[in-house]
Amino acid sequence: MYDNNNMELDYYPEEEKKKPSLVGSILKYTVTAFIVLVFALVFFRIAIANDTKLAKSFIWTPESVAAYNEKGSLTVISQELSGYTLRDENGTVIESVSYDELSEDGLFKTGNFMYVKETKELLVTVRYNDTCEEEFCKAYSLDPNAGEIFVFELTDGEKTYGEYSFVTDERFVYHYKRLIFKNVDLDSAGKLVLIGYSVGNPDREKPAVKMTVYDSNIETEAVKLDKYLPAETTGDLDTPPYVKFD
């Protein structure tokens, strides 16, 4: 190559970029795959931790449909059961209570409380997994395909409510039961405890699950029924077709 003064100059071609080594490539893709796997596991855990749509829904019954048609509305309340602290006028703690949505053994989860004042129906969801079902079936020689393996009741310490219907749902390893208890007197209840028994367990002193689902010391919120109404609702309601009672 020559410059403007016709002087010969040395020419050095641009050095080729070094190709990554095999070990470096393997390491790079391994780290990337690990990061993707971690994020996938996190999102999966979030997905399975969330309850299904049915488990959180207001479930229409013939009673609530009739009450809605008669009145044109319903008074439905919900409650997030976390905990509370009571203090006297001097600020001294009288009582401090906290609740966990999981049972002590971790086999059951309860939540999604709702109450219909006009019909005195109480809705609450129970969740348990395949392992829980297998353990109780094995312990009491039950066939999970032959019918229900758990029965439930509510109690406020004085009154016991055992009449209920339910709808079911499943997601991954979890089984959901949306329980609808009948004729529950919420006004006179300080607390309501859900008790579940295995149908093969005659000892009622040792229930499968025993968890508080309502506490009058904790505030309630109004439930907006708009999103639970059938589309383009005009006039009287019919029981929505997706509600099938077992």
Side-chain angles (χ1 to χ4, degrees), residues 99-221:
Y99 293 106
D100 194 335
E101 62 183 7
L102 291 176
S103 59
E104 292 183 2
D105 56 15
L107 295 177
F108 294 87
K109 175 187 175 184
T110 59
N112 302 309
F113 167 93
M114 292 183 186
Y115 182 75
V116 188
K117 292 188 176 181
E118 287 81 358
T119 60
K120 294 187 175 182
E121 293 175 316
L122 187 150
L123 292 75
V124 66
T125 297
V126 180
R127 188 193 78 180
Y128 55 89
N129 60 25
D130 288 339
T131 301
C132 174
E133 186 176 78
E134 291 170 2
E135 287 185 6
F136 279 91
C137 286
K138 183 177 179 181
Y140 301 107
S141 301
L142 302 175
D143 181 0
N145 299 316
E148 295 303 313
I149 64 173
F150 296 112
V151 291
F152 299 93
E153 65 184 27
L154 278 176
T155 181
D156 61 6
E158 296 182 0
K159 299 178 183 177
T160 298
Y161 306 95
E163 183 183 357
Y164 67 92
S165 53
F166 62 90
V167 291
T168 61
D169 203 0
E170 294 183 2
R171 174 185 283 174
F172 301 112
V173 299
Y174 291 115
H175 303 266
Y176 294 88
K177 291 192 183 300
R178 188 72 165 137
L179 309 174
I180 304 100
F181 284 90
K182 308 294 184 181
N183 302 313
V184 178
D185 185 7
L186 195 69
D187 293 334
S188 64
K191 294 182 181 180
L192 282 171
V193 177
L194 179 71
I195 303 177
Y197 304 93
S198 166
V199 296
N201 181 9
D203 187 358
R204 296 177 66 84
E205 298 299 320
K206 297 180 180 180
V209 59
K210 185 176 182 180
M211 298 179 67
T212 301
V213 296
Y214 169 79
D215 191 321
S216 61
N217 291 300
I218 299 176
E219 292 184 356
T220 59
E221 295 183 0

